[in-house]
Amino acid sequence: MQYILNVLDEDLLVTLMDLFIGGTELTGKTLVSALSLLSQHIQVQDKMANEITTLVGSRSIMLSDKQSLPYVEATILEIMRLSRVVTVGLPHAVTEDVVFKGNMGRSGGISSRAVSW
């Protein structure tokens, strides 16, 4: 097995896959939440469209336009705040018997953590 910075290639691959899958799921859930919330607030859609049309025109939006679109940015941040897109963390393997906050984890088991605010 090859090592990169003292990390097994397989460990690096698994970690990268976790990040990719987590990012894909988070992006998808955020987009679904955005569509759901915006479909309920037509006036917000109209105000966002007006700001984009007024400040950007017919060209494609670029990252450099972000500072010129305060309402659009505030709306996106509010959607992210209101959306509960993370419900359960990624599962982890329990490598040895452990008690955490009164909960017993048995070696060889799988643990997942519920996230709440």
Side-chain angles (χ1 to χ4, degrees), residues 13-93:
L13 178 63
V14 169
T15 300
L16 290 173
M17 287 302 297
D18 284 348
L19 290 171
F20 177 76
I21 291 168
T24 302
E25 181 179 0
L26 182 65
T27 301
K29 286 184 175 183
T30 301
L31 287 172
V32 168
S33 293
L35 292 173
S36 175
L37 288 167
L38 288 172
S39 71
Q40 298 171 33
H41 301 280
I42 303 301
Q43 73 282 6
V44 174
Q45 288 183 50
D46 292 341
K47 195 167 180 180
M48 289 175 68
N50 185 44
E51 183 176 75
I52 292 168
T53 304
T54 302
L55 298 173
V56 178
S58 61
R59 68 173 173 78
S60 296
I61 298 174
M62 298 186 308
L63 185 58
S64 59
D65 294 321
K66 183 178 174 186
Q67 293 178 339
S68 302
L69 301 168
Y71 187 80
V72 172
E73 183 176 5
T75 302
I76 292 169
L77 292 173
E78 187 68 3
I79 288 167
M80 292 171 70
R81 185 184 72 82
L82 293 172
S83 302
R84 288 191 165 209
V85 295
V86 178
T87 53
V88 178
L90 293 173
H92 290 74

Side-chain angles (χ1 to χ4, degrees), residues 1-13 15:
M1 294 189 184
Q2 291 185 352
Y3 287 87
I4 300 174
L5 302 174
N6 295 325
V7 177
L8 284 172
D9 287 347
E10 183 179 344
D11 292 337
L12 182 60
L13 178 63
T15 300

